[in-house]
Amino acid sequence: MEARESFFPTKLFGQETKRTCERIWRCLKKDKVITSIGIYGVKGVGKTTLAKLINHLVEQKTKSQVIWINVSQQCNIKVLQNDIAKSLGFDLIEEHDEEKRAIALHESFKEKNDFVLVLDDVLENVPLKMLGNPLKIEGGRLIVTSCLLETCRKMGCQRTFGVKTLEAEESWSLFIEKLGNEMIIPREVEGIAKVMVNNCTKGLPFGIVTLATKLRELELSNVDEWRKAFKESFKEENNDVMKMLLYSFNSLKDEKLQQCFLYCCLYPEDEKISKDHLITRFVLEGLIDEQESREAEFEEGYEILNRLEGVCLLESGVNSVKMHSLIRDMALKITNENPMFMVKAGVQLNDAPKQDEWIENLDKVSLMRNQIAEIPEGTSAKCPRLTTLMLQQNYYLWKIPDSFFEHMKALRVLDLSHTCIEKLPDSVSELENLTALLLAFCWNLRSIPTLAKLELLQELDLSGTGIQTLPESLEALLSLKCLSMYAMRWLERIPIGILPQLSTLQRLVLSHHIDVQGEELEVLNELEEFQGRFSTIHDFNRFIRAQENEGCLVFYRILVGDYDGLGQMTQIEFNHGRISDKLVKCYGLGKEDEVLLLPQDIQHLKIESCNNFSTCLSDFLSCLYDSKDLKYFKVRWCNKLEYLMKVKQGQESVLFPSLEHLDLFELPSFVGIFDESETSLSPSIPLVGTFSLLRMIRIERCHNIKKLLPIDLCSNLRHLERIYVLSCSQIEEIIEDQENDGIVVFPKMTRITLWSLPQLKSICNGKMKCNSIKKVSIKECVKLRNLPLFFSHEEELKIPSTLKEIAINSSEKDWWESLEWDHSTTKIELQPFLNYF
C-alpha cells in the first residue's frame, strides 16, 4: 500500500517514514502473530514522533488501550513498575518486592482484553518478566523505541523498523513548515538557507525543528539579518545535533566497538568500505581479539559491523558499509582529542603535511587517495604513538625519505598500496611493532629491505609489485598469517623451503604463473584461504589430501595445469582482503596416470583445453559423483570429450544435487550429458534430486550432440530459469520425448534462446508449460515447425501473463508465418509480443 497523506492524522515528512508508519500500523491491525515491534534509529531521527503517531492511530481507530512509558537512562525496574501501575489505574507504593510487584502488574494486564505497551527510548534490555510479562497476555502487544537495534532484538521484538534521516528536499519542506507562514525567507539568501539546513541538520528532524524555532524567534526583517542569523545558528545548531549523535556513540559502551566505529572515519567521505577489508584491518589493529581461526575472526568482525549498523552509526550496503557525512563529522570531532587522528583522505592534497603537523599525540593518520608526489627530504614524523599510516592510492607518490619513519616505533599498519614508490626506506626494517606491510600494486618497487626484525608482522602484501626476488628473511616471519604475492610478473619462482617455514599462514595468494609443489604446502595446516597453481595432478592431489586429513582449508581458487593467463576465475579483488570461492580450474592437462582428486566441498569447477579427457569426464574425475556442493560447472575446448557422467545400473548417488549453472562450450565430440551405454535413463534409475537446483544450462558450438535433455529428467528441473542452445549444428531435439504425448512443466523458466540450430526439429514433442516465461529468442532454426510453449487447456488458449517478447530474426518472417499451431488463434494472440531483430 503506497503511503497516502490522508492516512496520517498529522503530517509526516519523508516518504520512507510514511511507508514505515504504514507497515507498523499494518502489523498492529492485521497481523495477529506479530505482538512485539521495535523502532530504532539515531537520537533525533523521529522514533518517538513515529511511535506517538502510532499511539494516536491505535486510540482513534481501535478499542485498544495504549500504555505509554518513557524509559530514561536512569530508570530502574521499580520506577518502571510504578509508571505502568499508574497507567493501569493502581499503585504499588506499599509493595517493595520486585517480583510480587511484577505479579500484580501481570494480574492487572489480564483484565485488559486489548492493550499496547509502548516503552519509549529504551537504551538497555528491560526484562519484560519484571514488567508483568505483557506478551504472555492474550491481546497484549509491545512497541519499543531505541537507538539500538540490538536492544530491540534482546527484548524479543519480532519485527524491527529503522527510521532514516530525511532527504534534502524533505528536510527543506519540514524547515519551511516549522518556520511558519509569517516568515518569508528573502530570495537572496534562500540558497544559503538550503545549504545551512542540509549541512547542519543532515536530515535529522530534531535538528531541523530546533533550527526553525530559533530563527522564528529572532523576527528577522532584512537580508543582512538573515545572513547573520544563519551563520550564528550554524555553529550552535551543529553542536546540538552532535550531542544527539554522541548519545548513540556513547551508548556503545564497549571501548573496542567505539574504536572500530572511529576507524571508519579514516576513509574518504561517502566511501563504500568493503566489510571484509574493514574486518581485516580490525584484526591487524588489535581491535578484534585473536581467535583460533581466521574464519572466527571474520564472524566476530561481522557481528561488530552489525552492531554498528544496528545503532545507525554505519549504513549497510552490498558487502560494504558507509558513514553518513554527519556521523563522520562527529567521529572526526571525537578524534581531534583522544584518540587523535589526522584525516585528510580524498581531499585532493598535492603536498604532504608539513613537519609541524606531525605532532606527538597522533594515533592514526590517513592521507589516502590524494595526489601527493613525494614526502620532502628530511621530513621526520615525530609520532611515537602513531599506530596507523594510510598513504594508499596516492598514485604519484614516488619518494619517501629514510628519515620519515625513524620515530614511528609504535606503527602497526603501514599501507602504501597503489603508489609508485621506487624504493622502500631502510627505516621500515626497524618498525618492530609492524603487523601489516601493504605494498599491493606498487609497480615500480623492485626490492624491499630486510624483514628480519619484523617478528610481529601478520600480513605482507607484495601483489602487483616489480619485485624480482623475495625479501631477505621472509622465512623468519614466524607470526605471518597472510601473504599475498599475486600478479608479481617479475618474480619467476619461490625458492624451495621458504613456504614450509611459514607454518602460521592462514591466507596464501600466489601468482598463477608460479608453479608450486604440493610438498611445499603440505605442512601448512592452518591455511584457510589459498590461491595458486599446481602444474601437475600429482602435486594438486598431494595438497588436497593433506588439507582433508589435517588442514582447515575453507576457501580456495586453484589452477591445475598450464598457466592460461586468462579468465575471471583466476583473478582476485584485493580490496576485500579475503577469498570467498571454492573453485578449481583445470587447464591444458596432459595425460597423467592419476585421477584428479577434487575437494569434497568444491562449488565451482572449470575444465578447459584438457584434450586428453576423452569419452566420459567422470572416468578422469570419479569424485564428481560425490561433489554434492558443486554449484557452477563449466567445460570448454575439450576436443575428445563425449559425456560428462556415466550413469550405471543401480546408481544410488544423486548427481549434481546442488548444481545451479551448467555451461558447455566448443566440445566438438560431445554427445550428451549422461552416458547411457550401460543402462538407459528411466524411472527405475534413481535420478530423483539430480539437477534439482539447476537454474541455467548453456550449450554452444557442440556440433555432435543431437538430444539435450531426456524427458525423465525434466521433472527434477523445477528451478530451471534459462536455456541457451547456440550454434550446435546437429542437435535435433531439446527435450527427448519418444512418447510424443507428455507435458513438461518448467514453473520458473523465464528465457529460452535457440540460435543457429539448422537440424533442430523439436523443442519438445509433447507440450511445455512455462507460466513464468518472459522471453523466447529464435534464430536460424529452419526445420523447427512448432513452439510447444503455448497450448490449449480446456479449449482455451493460455498465454502466460509474464510473457514480454518473442524475438525472431528479421530475415525469418516467412519462417514465423509457416509455423504450425494447435490452436487456430495462437499466432494472432502472440502477434503483440513479436519483435524482429
Side-chain angles (χ1 to χ4, degrees):
M1 177 171 62
E2 192 67 32
R4 303 183 305 276
E5 204 64 50
S6 60
F7 173 82
F8 306 104
T10 58
K11 189 170 184 180
L12 271 181
F13 284 85
Q15 289 301 314
E16 191 62 35
T17 305
K18 293 175 184 178
R19 283 190 284 269
T20 300
C21 184
E22 285 202 349
R23 287 195 290 266
I24 295 172
W25 174 244
R26 196 179 299 123
C27 280
L28 288 171
K29 187 178 179 182
K30 296 181 180 180
D31 196 333
K32 301 301 181 184
V33 177
I34 303 297
T35 57
S36 53
I37 290 171
I39 302 173
Y40 68 95
V42 294
K43 204 165 184 66
V45 79
K47 303 181 299 295
T48 299
T49 301
L50 185 56
K52 285 181 177 178
L53 182 53
I54 297 296
N55 178 3
H56 183 84
L57 288 169
V58 170
E59 290 179 339
Q60 295 296 314
K61 298 178 180 290
T62 73
K63 296 180 181 180
S64 300
Q65 178 183 349
V66 178
I67 303 159
W68 185 285
I69 305 297
N70 292 309
V71 185
S72 67
Q73 274 185 274
Q74 291 75 31
C75 247
N76 58 38
I77 293 297
K78 283 189 176 180
V79 172
L80 291 176
Q81 289 175 333
N82 287 338
D83 290 345
I84 294 172
K86 185 177 179 180
S87 296
L88 292 172
F90 72 103
D91 66 62
L92 294 168
I93 295 175
E94 296 181 2
E95 180 58 68
H96 299 289
D97 185 279
E98 288 185 356
E99 291 193 0
K100 290 181 179 179
R101 291 158 65 92
I103 292 172
L105 290 175
H106 186 75
E107 293 302 318
S108 182
F109 278 135
K110 278 185 178 179
E111 298 174 6
K112 308 291 181 184
N113 293 323
D114 195 0
F115 66 89
V116 179
L117 175 62
V118 181
L119 299 178
D120 184 41
D121 200 16
V122 182
L123 183 59
E124 295 181 340
N125 181 25
V126 179
L128 293 178
K129 182 180 179 181
M130 302 309 294
L131 302 185
N133 251 339
L135 295 181
K136 297 293 184 180
I137 308 295
E138 187 175 354
R141 284 169 289 177
L142 173 71
I143 296 177
V144 175
T145 76
S146 176
C147 288
L148 308 174
L149 172 60
E150 185 179 10
T151 296
C152 295
R153 288 173 173 165
K154 284 182 177 179
M155 294 191 65
C157 293
Q158 296 164 289
R159 289 286 304 275
T160 54
F161 298 89
V163 183
K164 297 183 179 180
T165 54
L166 301 179
E167 298 292 336
E169 288 301 318
E170 296 167 343
S171 298
W172 180 250
S173 297
L174 176 59
F175 174 74
I176 292 298
E177 174 153 309
K178 297 302 177 182
L179 198 61
N181 295 329
E182 64 277 8
M183 292 196 73
I184 306 298
I185 299 178
R187 185 172 298 176
E188 295 89 335
V189 294
E190 186 173 311
I192 298 174
K194 286 185 176 181
V195 171
M196 291 291 186
V197 170
N198 191 44
N199 285 349
C200 73
T201 68
K202 299 297 183 183
L204 283 175
F206 167 82
I208 297 166
V209 172
T210 304
L211 177 61
T213 302
K214 288 177 180 176
L215 291 174
R216 190 173 63 240
E217 292 171 353
L218 293 177
E219 298 182 357
L220 306 172
S221 59
N222 59 54
V223 171
D224 290 337
E225 288 182 359
W226 274 99
R227 285 200 175 103
K228 183 179 178 182
F230 272 122
K231 289 179 180 178
E232 291 176 352
S233 297
F234 177 76
K235 184 175 181 180
E236 184 180 350
E237 180 60 27
N238 215 25
N239 288 335
D240 288 341
V241 172
M242 284 293 178
K243 289 176 183 176
M244 303 293 285
L245 296 175
L246 278 169
Y247 180 88
S248 292
F249 174 75
N250 292 328
S251 70
L252 294 173
K253 295 187 177 179
D254 184 331
E255 184 181 348
K256 282 194 174 180
L257 196 61
Q258 291 179 336
Q259 290 177 8
C260 288
F261 162 72
L262 294 176
Y263 196 90
C264 297
C265 78
L266 293 170
Y267 295 85
E269 186 172 354
D270 293 325
E271 178 85 351
K272 292 180 180 178
I273 315 168
S274 159
K275 289 182 179 181
D276 287 347
H277 168 87
L278 262 183
I279 293 169
T280 301
R281 292 303 175 90
F282 293 165
V283 172
L284 294 170
E285 297 280 358
L287 300 178
I288 290 179
D289 294 332
E290 187 172 345
Q291 305 284 335
E292 61 182 15
S293 68
R294 182 172 166 85
E295 189 68 10
E297 290 170 345
F298 270 91
E299 287 177 6
E300 183 177 338
Y302 287 127
E303 177 61 28
I304 287 171
L305 294 179
N306 287 339
R307 290 181 67 185
L308 293 175
E309 291 168 18
V311 294
C312 302
L313 291 176
L314 292 180
E315 299 174 7
S316 182
V318 180
N319 301 320
S320 65
V321 292
K322 189 176 82 167
M323 262 188 167
H324 189 286
S325 56
L326 185 60
I327 302 286
R328 184 172 182 269
D329 290 344
M330 175 192 70
L332 291 174
K333 185 173 183 180
I334 293 171
T335 56
N336 273 336
E337 299 173 2
N338 186 26
M340 184 174 286
F341 294 2
M342 183 203 296
V343 182
K344 298 182 179 182
V347 293
Q348 305 301 309
L349 280 184
N350 291 313
D351 299 312
K354 303 295 183 185
Q355 176 76 49
D356 58 2
E357 294 182 69
W358 298 93
I359 58 178
E360 288 188 355
N361 294 334
L362 280 174
D363 293 289
K364 299 186 188 300
V365 172
S366 176
L367 302 173
M368 67 174 289
R369 201 174 301 155
N370 283 301
Q371 298 174 12
I372 299 171
E374 66 175 310
I375 294 175
E377 194 67 41
T379 301
S380 179
K382 296 179 180 179
C383 306
R385 287 174 38 176
L386 192 69
T387 59
T388 305
L389 178 57
M390 297 167 60
L391 285 165
Q392 70 265 34
Q393 296 175 356
N394 279 280
Y395 297 103
Y396 303 110
L397 179 61
W398 67 279
K399 183 180 179 183
I400 301 175
D402 195 62
S403 59
F404 185 63
F405 295 109
E406 286 179 351
H407 302 287
M408 296 185 186
K409 300 303 182 182
L411 196 64
R412 292 174 62 96
V413 175
L414 174 59
D415 193 343
L416 294 169
S417 303
H418 295 276
T419 62
C420 62
I421 55 171
E422 299 174 353
K423 180 181 180 296
L424 201 62
D426 290 339
S427 54
V428 170
S429 296
E430 304 298 322
L431 301 176
E432 296 182 7
N433 286 301
L434 208 61
T435 60
L437 179 57
L438 309 173
L439 304 169
F441 295 99
C442 296
W443 290 112
N444 293 328
L445 186 62
R446 293 290 182 263
S447 64
I448 61 177
T450 178
L451 305 177
K453 293 185 179 181
L454 307 187
E455 294 180 358
L456 299 180
L457 198 67
Q458 295 179 30
E459 179 165 355
L460 176 62
D461 193 346
L462 303 176
S463 301
T465 61
I467 292 173
Q468 298 177 5
T469 58
L470 293 180
E472 181 185 338
S473 301
L474 175 64
E475 66 278 8
L477 301 178
L478 301 182
S479 299
L480 197 64
K481 294 182 177 181
C482 303
L483 176 60
S484 296
M485 298 193 293
Y486 183 77
M488 294 179 67
R489 58 185 177 181
W490 302 109
L491 182 67
E492 295 183 358
R493 54 187 284 275
I494 298 175
I496 299 295
I498 288 182
L499 292 178
Q501 295 187 61
L502 302 176
S503 59
T504 57
L505 276 182
Q506 295 177 337
R507 180 177 188 267
L508 176 61
V509 178
L510 302 176
S511 296
H512 281 104
H513 72 276
I514 296 175
D515 177 24
V516 62
Q517 295 182 10
E519 62 182 333
E520 285 283 283
L521 304 184
E522 274 185 322
V523 296
L524 301 183
N525 295 331
E526 296 185 26
L527 198 63
E528 296 179 46
E529 300 174 27
F530 173 67
Q531 174 171 308
R533 180 177 71 91
F534 299 96
S535 62
T536 69
I537 292 178
H538 173 77
D539 281 318
F540 171 73
N541 285 354
R542 188 166 181 171
F543 172 70
I544 294 300
R545 286 194 188 97
Q547 287 299 320
E548 292 189 345
N549 290 335
E550 299 181 15
C552 51
L553 193 66
V554 179
F555 299 114
Y556 46 87
R557 292 180 177 180
I558 302 174
L559 177 62
V560 187
D562 297 334
Y563 172 55
D564 59 354
L566 304 170
Q568 294 180 347
M569 303 319 300
T570 59
Q571 295 173 4
I572 183 169
E573 297 180 42
F574 288 91
N575 289 337
H576 291 188
R578 195 184 193 200
I579 299 171
S580 57
D581 298 292
K582 297 183 178 185
L583 177 148
V584 173
K585 176 178 177 180
C586 301
Y587 186 88
L589 285 176
K591 187 174 181 179
E592 297 189 39
D593 294 332
E594 285 192 63
V595 173
L596 193 72
L597 177 66
L598 294 176
Q600 293 182 359
D601 62 350
I602 186 171
Q603 293 182 352
H604 198 144
L605 176 62
K606 297 180 72 174
I607 309 291
E608 296 183 3
S609 299
C610 296
N611 291 324
N612 284 299
F613 284 0
S614 58
T615 313
C616 192
L617 187 60
S618 59
D619 293 341
F620 299 87
L621 294 169
S622 57
C623 46
L624 274 178
Y625 290 105
D626 300 315
S627 299
K628 304 302 182 185
D629 297 325
L630 189 64
K631 293 183 178 180
Y632 304 91
F633 190 11
K634 185 169 187 175
V635 186
R636 58 180 181 176
W637 305 325
C638 298
N639 294 337
K640 299 178 182 179
L641 192 66
E642 297 179 11
Y643 300 97
L644 296 185
M645 302 289 286
K646 184 175 290 184
V647 181
K648 303 175 182 179
Q649 192 72 38
Q651 176 76 43
E652 294 183 0
S653 60
V654 177
L655 306 178
F656 305 119
S658 301
L659 193 67
E660 296 179 11
H661 291 253
L662 178 60
D663 197 340
L664 309 172
F665 180 80
E666 208 160 306
L667 308 174
S669 302
F670 191 70
V671 176
I673 296 172
F674 298 110
D675 180 1
E676 305 174 48
S677 60
E678 297 184 19
T679 183
S680 59
L681 287 174
S682 68
S684 64
I685 304 302
L687 289 177
V688 176
T690 297
F691 285 159
S692 58
L693 294 180
L694 191 66
R695 293 171 51 210
M696 188 274 283
I697 181 168
R698 179 187 181 98
I699 179 167
E700 183 174 359
R701 299 185 189 179
C702 297
H703 296 298
N704 206 32
I705 187 170
K706 294 188 176 182
K707 298 172 182 179
L708 181 58
L709 297 169
I711 194 168
D712 292 329
L713 190 63
C714 291
S715 60
N716 292 350
L717 306 179
R718 310 294 293 180
H719 291 87
L720 190 62
E721 298 173 6
R722 292 169 288 159
I723 293 179
Y724 299 92
V725 185
L726 312 169
S727 302
C728 298
S729 60
Q730 298 300 315
I731 197 163
E732 297 176 358
E733 291 181 83
I734 304 301
I735 296 171
E736 180 185 7
D737 180 13
Q738 297 177 352
E739 301 296 329
N740 298 333
D741 59 357
I743 295 179
V744 178
V745 180
F746 294 125
K748 294 189 177 181
M749 182 74 72
T750 61
R751 180 160 185 163
I752 298 176
T753 300
L754 307 173
W755 283 11
S756 302
L757 311 175
Q759 299 301 320
L760 182 65
K761 299 174 183 177
S762 169
I763 298 175
C764 177
N765 284 329
K767 303 296 182 183
M768 285 177 65
K769 189 175 182 179
C770 305
N771 284 343
S772 300
I773 194 74
K774 293 181 180 179
K775 182 173 181 178
V776 179
S777 181
I778 300 176
K779 180 177 75 171
E780 297 174 5
C781 300
V782 294
K783 292 188 178 181
L784 186 64
R785 304 313 307 149
N786 62 72
L787 300 182
L789 308 175
F790 318 102
F791 58 90
S792 303
H793 178 69
E794 296 178 355
E795 302 302 322
E796 183 181 352
L797 180 65
K798 295 290 185 181
I799 295 178
S801 59
T802 55
L803 184 64
K804 302 297 182 185
E805 180 184 7
I806 300 176
I808 305 296
N809 191 287
S810 58
S811 64
E812 298 180 308
K813 293 182 180 180
D814 291 341
W815 171 82
W816 172 261
E817 294 297 329
S818 69
L819 285 178
E820 300 169 358
W821 305 97
D822 291 341
H823 198 285
S824 58
T825 62
T826 301
K827 186 164 68 173
I828 297 173
E829 295 286 345
L830 293 178
Q831 197 66 34
F833 303 100
L834 201 61
N835 179 32
Y836 291 105
F837 65 93

